[in-house]
Amino acid sequence: YEPYFRSHKLGKDVFLTLRVPNPSVEKNEAKILLETLEGIPRNFDSAKLFYNDDIVPIFEIALPMTTDYRELVRLSEYYKNHVVGKQHSKLGNDITIAEWIGHFQPEKLRIIPLIEDKESIINPDKIVEGYLAKEKIEDYQRVWLARSDPALNYGNLATILMLKISLQKLRSLQEKLSVDILPILGCGSAPFRGNFKPTNAKNCINGYPSVYTYTIQSAFKYDYNIKDVTNAVKFLEESKPGNPVNVDEKRCIA
């Protein structure tokens, strides 16, 4: 699709976010994470050759089932120290890896926690604040909250209340640290999984007004009239995030 990507630069106009295995949970797929991270500098080289520019094509990684900020830090440090960092090592005491095969870029990644279990959804600030402090992030942080799968585990209403608490705490953390927290919400089209469909997009935004990004699943894309889909996407793109719905945390949990 060369004509498309010539006019829509990857990493600037359109974005590709990788969702990788979580080694703390998905032991059998853990090494896929390392393979993915190793491929990112090669993706940079390919994009530079294509665009003749230093735009980073892939710079965001989403880590599913995040429950601890240290999981994010491990991923970040592995990339910085063992993927990019190895370029400074010498071979045969006369040449570095970077001199031999070229420099590794980007030098660091943005890690997005995908938060899915009850305790973590209710307390996302503990994960995010710890990560921001360790990585010294001062501009913005994306946080992905699951909506679809938690409904299967905890029930529909319980999940809605959990997310209200979560979004409220993330906004409080934003005000505390003066770092923009940009929530992502992963809804499904079925009512039980979030009711996020082209014909109900406005209601979803009213329910979660502080959400910055909505993930669009397959039913949204393939099960509805194309006009309804494009109108919904336009509406989402033109909508501006607001303040979260104010809820009583103690009553929600009780």
Side-chain angles (χ1 to χ4, degrees), residues 95-112:
I95 189 173
T96 65
I97 292 177
E99 291 170 333
W100 183 40
I101 62 174
H103 291 282
F104 287 63
Q105 295 189 62
E107 294 184 353
K108 59 183 180 179
L109 300 174
R110 286 190 175 273
I111 315 298
I112 302 171

Side-chain angles (χ1 to χ4, degrees), residues 13 23 50 86 107 109 137 165 182 201 209 212 242:
D13 304 314
F50 185 76
K86 64 172 175 261
E107 294 184 353
L109 300 174
I137 297 172
I165 295 171
L182 311 179
Y212 192 85

Side-chain angles (χ1 to χ4, degrees), residues 11 48-49 60 69 83 90 92 98 127 138-139 145 165 195 200 211 224 228-229 241 253:
K48 184 174 182 178
L49 184 65
E60 290 182 316
Y69 79 91
V83 177
K90 280 194 172 183
I127 296 173
E138 299 179 349
D139 49 358
L145 301 174
I165 295 171
N195 209 21
N200 197 50
V211 168
Y224 295 88
D228 292 335
V229 173
I253 294 177

Side-chain angles (χ1 to χ4, degrees), residues 138-201:
E138 299 179 349
D139 49 358
Y140 74 89
Q141 175 65 37
R142 305 183 76 193
V143 181
W144 190 348
L145 301 174
R147 166 64 179 88
S148 183
D149 286 351
L152 299 177
N153 297 325
Y154 310 112
N156 188 31
L157 179 58
T159 298
I160 293 171
L161 294 177
M162 286 158 47
L163 289 170
K164 303 288 189 186
I165 295 171
S166 190
L167 292 166
Q168 185 169 270
K169 285 191 173 182
L170 289 174
R171 176 53 61 92
S172 296
L173 182 63
Q174 172 177 291
E175 294 171 354
K176 174 184 176 182
L177 301 180
S178 296
V179 175
D180 288 335
I181 307 296
L182 311 179
I184 305 169
L185 191 62
C187 293
S189 294
F192 190 77
R193 288 181 172 270
N195 209 21
F196 182 59
K197 53 190 178 182
T199 54
N200 197 50

Side-chain angles (χ1 to χ4, degrees), residues 21-24 26-35:
N22 186 334
S24 300
E26 301 163 291
K27 298 293 185 182
N28 293 335
E29 299 180 348
K31 291 184 177 62
I32 295 176
L33 167 64
L34 307 188
E35 294 175 8

